[in-house]
Amino acid sequence: MITRNVAFSFILALGFVGICLASVLARSADLVGAGFPDRVAGVGTGLILALFSNVLAKRIAGTPAPGKDGARRFMGLAMVLAGLVYAGAFLLAPVELAPRIGVAVVVIAMIVTAIRFLAGGNASRSDPGED
C-alpha cells in the first residue's frame, strides 16, 4: 500500500519537509538548541528509511530466483534495523557524531546484504537430500 499510493508518499514528503522547516524556524526564534534541526531531519530520515525498507525488499524487480527469498527478507530486516539505528543515532548521539554513526550503519547493512545475495541468498538453508 505504501509504494502504490502516490498520495501517501507525497503527503509524507510534505509533512517531513514541513517538520524540518518548522524546526529551522524554531531555531531561528531561539526556541530550541543549535542542533535541533539536524536532529529532527536525521530522525525523520531514519524513520522513513525504516518505513520503506521492508516494502522495498518485497518489490525487488526481476524474476524470483530460487533461494533468494531468504536474502530478500534479510535485506528488509537489515535495512529496517539500519533505519531505526540511524534515527536513534540522531536522537541520542552528539550532533557532530550522529551522521557518521548513521551512515556507517546503513553502509554496513548494505554491504552485509550484498554479501548475502552474492553468497546464494539462503545460506542457512540445507538440502534435505544431503547426508
Side-chain angles (χ1 to χ4, degrees):
M1 180 201 116
I2 290 175
T3 58
R4 293 177 191 238
N5 192 345
V6 175
F8 173 80
S9 298
F10 186 70
I11 290 170
L12 182 67
L14 283 178
F16 180 59
V17 170
I19 289 171
C20 289
L21 286 176
S23 70
V24 170
L25 290 174
R27 173 62 194 127
S28 66
D30 287 330
L31 298 173
V32 294
F36 186 74
D38 293 333
R39 288 192 186 277
V40 168
V43 169
T45 301
L47 293 177
I48 289 173
L49 176 64
L51 177 70
F52 282 96
S53 290
N54 192 36
V55 177
L56 169 72
K58 295 175 183 175
R59 295 183 49 107
I60 294 176
T63 59
K68 295 291 185 186
D69 288 338
R72 289 179 183 169
R73 285 191 298 273
F74 180 81
M75 180 180 100
L77 177 63
M79 294 308 292
V80 166
L81 291 176
L84 293 175
V85 171
Y86 188 96
F90 274 91
L91 191 62
L92 302 172
V95 177
E96 302 81 26
L97 191 58
R100 291 184 188 120
I101 294 171
V103 170
V105 168
V106 172
V107 168
I108 289 169
M110 293 170 74
I111 290 170
V112 170
T113 299
I115 290 170
R116 176 77 187 262
F117 269 98
L118 293 174
N122 206 355
S124 64
R125 184 177 155 212
S126 62
D127 189 7
E130 294 181 17
D131 286 322

